[in-house]
Amino acid sequence: MAQDGAYDLTSLKALRLLTRTIKDRAKASSERLDPLLREGKITYDLLWALFKANTPVITTCPGSGQSRCLQYNMGDEKKTEQGVEYFELQCQYLDFDGKVFGTVTERLPVERFHGARPITALD
């Protein structure tokens, strides 16, 4: 930005390029995502677009086998020490142990898969 408060031409061009690049990438993802969602499917590389912050995620409690509703916070691609790639959903839920009522963080891994998979088939 120039000293008088006006943007210089180089900065404006860079900002336009950045905006156009972001829009193009979002459009490309959306064009791939929309048909999959209509079929109730998702691909591994688009998992990030399926989950939005603060939305519910339904999973199964490993201890009771009952359904559990969690709140999705964020996700990240990771790799185990053995080299297995997975997308980790970081979620929270409310729990009560008989004495304390509070928030519990749970991390749900979705192992890398190939092709399109039904969303309901995800762990």
Side-chain angles (χ1 to χ4, degrees):
M1 194 162 40
Q3 287 187 359
D4 65 357
Y7 290 97
D8 63 68
L9 188 56
T10 303
S11 296
L12 284 175
K13 286 181 179 179
L15 185 58
R16 285 186 185 129
L17 176 61
L18 175 63
T19 303
R20 189 171 47 248
T21 301
I22 291 170
K23 284 181 180 179
D24 288 348
R25 290 190 183 229
K27 182 180 177 186
S29 293
S30 179
E31 287 174 350
R32 289 183 49 228
L33 182 64
D34 291 342
L36 286 168
L37 292 179
R38 280 193 292 274
E39 294 181 22
K41 295 182 178 180
I42 194 70
T43 56
Y44 179 82
D45 66 314
L46 289 174
L47 277 173
W48 64 269
L50 182 61
F51 300 99
K52 294 184 175 105
N54 301 317
T55 58
V57 173
I58 306 299
T59 189
T60 303
C61 174
S64 68
Q66 299 293 314
S67 294
R68 176 182 284 162
C69 183
L70 309 146
Q71 179 179 316
Y72 173 77
N73 292 329
M74 64 174 283
D76 196 18
E77 282 195 81
K78 297 192 172 193
K79 189 183 287 191
T80 66
E81 291 179 10
Q82 295 77 23
V84 177
E85 296 177 24
Y86 64 98
F87 186 80
E88 181 181 80
L89 287 78
Q90 296 175 24
C91 304
Q92 292 184 323
Y93 65 95
L94 296 175
D95 197 17
F96 180 66
D97 67 2
K99 294 181 182 179
V100 179
F101 183 75
T103 305
V104 177
T105 299
E106 185 165 339
R107 299 179 187 320
L108 303 173
V110 178
E111 194 171 312
R112 176 177 280 284
F113 58 89
H114 298 285
R117 178 176 286 185
I119 295 169
T120 55
L122 300 174
D123 290 341

